[in-house]
Structures are given as structure tokens and as C-alpha cells.
Amino acid sequence: MSAPTPAPAAAGSHDLAGGHDLTGTGVLYRLALRRDRIALPVWVYIGTAMVASTVFSFNKLYADEASRRTFAAGIDGNGSLRALYGPVFDGSTTGGLTAWRMGVFGAVLAALMSTLLVVRHTRAEEEDGRLELIGAGAVGRRAPLTAALAAALTANAALAALVAAALLAAGQSAAGSLAFGLALGATGLFFAALAAVTAQLAETARAANGLAGAAIGAAFVLRAIGDSGTGTGWLGWLSPIGWSEQVRAFAANRWWVLLLPLAGAALLTALARTLVARRDLGAGLLPQRPGPAAAAPALASAAALARRLQRGPLLGWTAALAAGGAVFGGVAKGVVDLVGDNRQMAEVLARMGGQQGVLDAYLSSIATVFGMVAAVYAVQAVLRMRAEEVSGRAEPVLAGAVSRLRWAAGHLLFPLLGTALLLAAAGLTAGLAEGLALGHGTGPAVGRMLGATLVQLPAVWLTAAVALAGYALLPHWAAAGWAGFGAFVLIAWLGPILRFPQAVLDLSPFSHLPHLPGGRPDAAPLLWLTALTALTTAAALAGLRRRDLG
């Protein structure tokens, strides 16, 4: 009697020992790119524009090799600037100076982009329950993770290619341009793989992003310590951001260093693929602390729920901006010493923000940067409402005695008041650090920096209002809020350097802010921006009341 014929495997079964665990990867990859068709180009274009504007500025500032070498020598003798930006490996070309100025922060940008992308398409999908529905079809167990990493590879390849093209267009060497672009892309790939691991360890997207963000911060600190003085350079080799720096684009062009982040990415990817098969769907490998059996009375309202959902990111962003304020305020003396009598550089710094003296110009420019960073948080806080709606958690709340306006108001307190807390923290620590570094008293320094950072609020609020309008009126295009933010930042950042027409500069709310400290305080643009914010918010809330949820 012949043996019975085995039943065929059910469609969508996850054969982890065979090849079916990648079924559906291509479809999920295309879906990831489609969902991020706005956010990813914004990330890539901002990174490219930062490099392009920097090389353009250095071309104008230092037109001859002698002036470039003098500038580089001043940087190498300034420990605070080396800790912030790293050493200059090639001071003879504008490409080498651009690699110094943008190498570290370009690598951090690539790391953040990759982390958010991978966690969004892995752990966040699991947390919202969508991955369970997808997995019920013909989709392999490892397909979502592989698709997310493939999307990260695409984004970092685009960043590397566009950065290299921008440097080539500026007349820099092909080898150096390619080395610098690949260094940024390889760093992004490493942190994409690291985020794939944290997505297996943590049970929530917020925790996974927090673990990956802590790793980025640790890598930055290790590199900063390694670059700050003699005898500590070996610490930079322990940092993936330090690896990007050690490629030494436009100097030695050490291609072999690129093997370090690529090998690390391969190992972390293999680890993530192993972990995803060893845990239950929806669960993380790190144990979660159980909450109380009964909710506290303070949670018995829609506003309290919004506060509970938003407080973690607010605390994290506040700590990050406070640390950033201390770092940038602490190097104020180094910037003043570096500029010295260089009238050209003082002119460019003044165009970027200040009007009275090099110190005021520098402090005004970093206050503008803090405002733009706070706008990132504001857009994120606004779009939390979209996440609550899509996940189905908003509907049970609104099914009770809670109006849509009341529900929205609880969330909108954070882009309104939370951004004020962020900017106050940055201004406070920047003022304290500047006062201590320059020795002219912390009281006046803190007052000046608080004014410089808090004056950014009307522009931040208008950016949040534009994101709210996108979510409320065109919910399927809610991610366009990031496009609005990107346009505002690029116009304000590149406009003064590239001498855009005034009509274009006026499109960004950051272009209308008074340049403090050092500039003339003018309340009129602040009032106009605040009024426009109120009108945009009112129109958005009216649209939210009238449209269908979901």
C-alpha cells in the first residue's frame, strides 16, 4: 500500500527552513516606497541641499588654496570645533572642507532617516496590527523586515548618489565626491540594520526608536571624545559615525574603511533575521514592565490620554535640545577665535542670522537651527493624531462624550506648548554654556539666548498648522506636512546663500523672524505669523469636524 500523499502547504505558510519566508518581499518593498513617497525625498533632498549649500559657501569664502589652508589650520588648533565637527583631513580643497563641515552631521542625518524608516515599516506596523493582517496572506515571516531594509538601502543609495553629484557639479574631484557620498550612505545602512535589531527587542515603535536613537547619540559622543584631543583618537574607531569620518574623503579616500559599516550592517541584518523568527508576532524580546491594575483618575479624559501618549517623545526631544544647546553654546568661544579678523566669514555668518558681531551671528544661526528642529517635533506631534485615527484607537474615544475638537485640542497642546518647552531648554543650556565659556556672566547670556530661541515659536507654530491642515483636510496626504516643513527649511537655509528672490524667501515663515541676538526686535512679523497660524488652525479644525474618520 502506497504512503499517503502529503497535503500541500497552505498559502502563506511561513517555512522558516525553506525559501517561503521571503514571499511577498517585493510587494511590501514597493508599498514601503509608496507610503514614504513624500517623507523619503524630503530627507534625501535636505541632506543633499545641506552639502550643496556648504560647498557653495566655501567656494565663495575661500577662493584660493592659501586661505583654505589657513582656515583648516585654525580648526585643527581648536579642540571644541574638532569635537563638534571632527578634524580637517584635506584643507586644500573646498571638497575637503565640506567633508569636514558636513561629514558628522550628514552621517547623523542618514542614521536618523534610516532608523525611522525601518522602525516605521516593521515594529510600528506590528504595533498597529497591520502586520498581522498582512501576514495572514501569502507573506513570509521575514518579508516585512527584508522589505524595510531594502527601502532603507534605496534611500541611502539615493542620498549617496545625489551628494556625490552635488559635489561633482561644484567642481570637486570624482573620487572624493564618491567617497564622501558612500561614507554617508554606508553609515545610514549600518543604522538601518541596527534599527532592525531594536525593532525585534522592543515591543513598541517608540521604544525601538529610542534604543536606536541612544545608539546614535553614543556613537556621536565616542567620536567627539576621540576627536577632541590627543591620545583618544582610538575611540573614534569604536563609533560608526567615526568610521564615516575615517574614510577621509578628498584626502586619502580610504575605501577599505567602508567595509566596516557594511560588514556591521550585514551582521546586524543576520541577527535581526534570526530574532524575528524566535519571537511571537507583536511581542518584543525585552520584557515589559506591567502597569497598575486600575488607571489613575488623572487619565480619565481625552486630554489626559493625549498627554500620556505624547509625554515620552516630548521628554526625549527636550533632553536632546538641551544637550544640543550645551554643545553649541560651549563652542561659541571657539567660533569667535576661529573667525578672528576674517571679514568674509563674518559676512556669511551675518547673512545666516546675525547682524552685530560674529558672536551674535553665530548664536542667531544656531537659534534658527533649534527652531527648525523644534518644527520637526511639532509636525511629529500633530501627525500623532493621524496615527491614532488609522490604528482605530481614536474611534472608541470619540464614541463617548468626547467631541472631535476636544480630542484634537488635547494633542495640539504639544505642538503649541511643547515646542515652547523645547526651545526654552535649548536657550537655557546654550546661554549657560556660552556664558561659562566666554566668562562674561551667565545671566545676560541666558536672557539673550532665551529670547533668540523663543522668537522662533511663531514660525514653528505655522509649520505645525500647515501639517494639521494637511491631516484634517486631506487625511490620505497627511504626510505632506513633512513636505511643507522641508520646503520652509530649504528656503530659509539656502535662500540667503543662493540669493533667492525676496518673493521666494517670503514663502518660509523662518525668513520673517527677527535675527536675535544682535538684530532689531520687531513684533509685526511675529504677530502676522501668529494670526496666520490661528486662521490655518481654525480652517483645519473646521474640516476635521466635517469629514469622515478613517
Side-chain angles (χ1 to χ4, degrees), residues 289-306:
R289 180 175 60 87
L299 286 175
S301 68
L305 176 60

Side-chain angles (χ1 to χ4, degrees), residues 124-440:
E125 292 291 279
E126 249 179 278
E127 186 180 358
D128 291 338
R130 286 190 291 266
L131 200 55
E132 187 172 3
L133 294 175
I134 292 173
V139 174
R141 183 73 169 94
R142 295 186 175 98
L145 175 65
T146 307
L149 289 171
L153 173 62
T154 302
N156 283 287
L159 177 64
L162 289 175
V163 164
L167 290 169
L168 279 171
Q172 305 309 303
S173 69
S177 301
L178 184 59
F180 185 64
L182 289 177
L184 299 187
T187 304
L189 283 180
F190 177 89
F191 282 101
L194 180 64
V197 173
T198 63
Q200 313 312 315
L201 299 177
E203 194 169 320
T204 65
R206 185 169 58 190
N209 281 324
L211 290 173
I216 296 172
F220 181 89
V221 170
L222 278 174
R223 181 218 55 82
I225 296 174
D227 289 338
S228 61
T230 57
T232 59
W234 60 274
L235 287 173
W237 288 98
L238 302 179
S239 165
I241 296 177
W243 299 340
S244 173
E245 183 181 87
Q246 290 301 326
V247 171
R248 300 192 178 185
F250 297 98
N253 291 330
R254 300 197 289 191
W255 305 98
W256 64 268
V257 178
L258 293 172
L259 295 176
L260 294 177
L262 294 179
L267 292 174
L268 290 170
T269 298
L271 176 60
R273 285 172 55 82
T274 300
L275 295 178
V276 77
R278 294 178 179 270
R279 64 176 181 84
D280 293 332
L281 187 66
L285 294 174
L286 295 179
Q288 291 288 314
R289 180 175 60 87
L299 286 175
S301 68
L305 176 60
R307 183 175 67 248
R308 178 67 178 82
L309 293 172
Q310 299 263 18
R311 71 181 183 185
L314 176 62
L315 293 175
W317 279 94
T318 301
L321 261 75
V327 170
F328 285 102
V331 302
K333 186 177 187 302
V335 171
V336 174
D337 293 340
L338 177 65
V339 174
D341 296 327
N342 190 325
R343 298 174 63 182
Q344 282 183 312
M345 188 168 184
E347 218 175 278
V348 168
L349 278 174
R351 241 187 355 257
M352 292 174 62
Q355 297 177 353
Q356 298 179 3
V358 172
L359 179 60
D360 286 345
Y362 169 72
L363 295 177
S364 178
S365 66
I366 66 169
T368 301
V369 171
F370 287 141
M372 294 176 180
V373 174
V376 175
Y377 165 78
V379 174
Q380 184 188 66
V382 167
L383 295 184
R384 179 70 197 211
M385 289 189 288
R386 175 63 177 167
E388 291 295 294
E389 181 181 346
V390 171
S391 66
R393 290 189 293 265
E395 192 170 354
V397 175
L398 295 172
V402 177
S403 68
R404 293 190 186 188
L405 293 184
R406 183 179 166 195
W407 171 73
H411 286 278
L412 292 179
L413 284 175
F414 289 86
L416 181 67
L417 301 181
T419 51
L421 176 62
L422 264 60
L423 291 171
L428 175 63
T429 55
L432 286 172
E434 179 226 331
L436 292 173
L438 295 176
H440 56 209

Side-chain angles (χ1 to χ4, degrees), residues 29-49:
Y29 165 71
R30 292 191 295 271
L31 177 63
L33 292 183
R34 187 180 187 283
R35 291 183 61 196
D36 283 336
R37 62 190 180 277
I38 295 175
L40 276 186
V42 169
W43 278 102
V44 173
Y45 291 156
I46 285 178
T48 305

